[in-house]
Amino acid sequence: MDTFQAITSRTSVREYTDKAVPRPLLEKLVDAGRMAPSARAVEPWEFVVITDRAKIDKIAAIAPNGKFLDSAQAAIIVICAETKYFIEDGCAATENILLQAVDLGLGACWVAGDKKPYAEKVLMMFNAPAGTKLVSIISIGWPKQKPSHRRNRPLKDVLHWEGF
């Protein structure tokens, strides 16, 4: 799959089959995340992969916008050291994971982290070191149905040359 096809095919998937996601595919997703650009080459990220059903369900129970995690076969938690650009760096890593998921035929959905009231609880659940921040929780699984394409604003409505 070429890059633009992955970008235009990516959509948030919130319903998954019961089929397990093999460990090598989960490792490939994290590998894609670690290859993201990072301000000043700090690479502040750490990735926690969760496949334990009870742990995934526990996250689903405390993240109001992530209730659908209860059908995911895995989750990847993106945690960053609290550096000047941790949000930008962690978001770049998250997007790489989402795009790699599309290429592998997996479904994924980004659940917000840092500014949510459950962020500290998630960090504590997974024994994250002091001075780290939750950037995202990514649900991972095989889509229950073929993902429908999202609608985006047309290019002509968002593209501006030399200013507004």
Side-chain angles (χ1 to χ4, degrees):
M1 173 178 294
D2 75 16
T3 305
F4 195 71
Q5 183 181 5
I7 291 168
T8 58
S9 298
R10 195 217 57 79
T11 190
S12 295
V13 174
R14 294 179 177 89
E15 292 183 76
Y16 306 95
T17 69
D18 293 335
K19 181 180 169 186
V21 179
R23 187 180 189 122
L25 295 185
L26 294 168
E27 288 176 354
K28 190 164 189 170
L29 293 172
V30 171
D31 204 20
R34 78 173 180 90
M35 297 303 293
S38 133
R40 301 177 179 156
V42 171
E43 299 181 23
W45 42 65
E46 302 290 338
F47 306 90
V48 179
V49 178
I50 298 115
T51 58
D52 179 275
R53 175 84 270 137
K55 290 178 181 177
I56 294 170
D57 288 346
K58 200 169 181 181
I59 299 168
I62 65 170
N65 294 339
K67 298 292 182 200
F68 57 87
L69 280 156
D70 65 4
S71 77
Q73 294 305 304
I76 299 173
I77 310 296
V78 180
I79 297 169
C80 285
E82 193 173 359
T83 60
K84 184 173 182 177
Y85 299 106
F86 79 91
I87 286 287
E88 293 86 343
D89 292 347
C91 288
T94 299
E95 182 68 6
N96 274 14
I97 291 168
L98 294 172
L99 293 174
Q100 183 64 63
V102 171
D103 187 52
L104 296 173
L106 292 164
C109 188
W110 180 335
V111 180
D114 180 58
K115 295 180 178 40
K116 294 294 186 178
Y118 54 77
E120 286 300 317
K121 288 180 187 174
V122 172
L123 291 170
M124 288 175 27
M125 282 172 56
F126 297 101
N127 301 311
T132 59
K133 296 289 215 170
L134 175 66
V135 174
S136 62
I137 303 164
I138 307 167
S139 61
I140 305 289
W142 300 102
K144 196 169 201 167
Q145 55 199 337
K146 184 177 163 76
S148 59
H149 292 315
R150 65 190 193 279
R151 287 183 277 166
N152 291 81
R153 292 169 43 203
L155 180 63
K156 67 178 182 57
D157 290 352
V158 299
L159 175 62
H160 309 277
W161 294 95
E162 313 297 338
F164 271 81

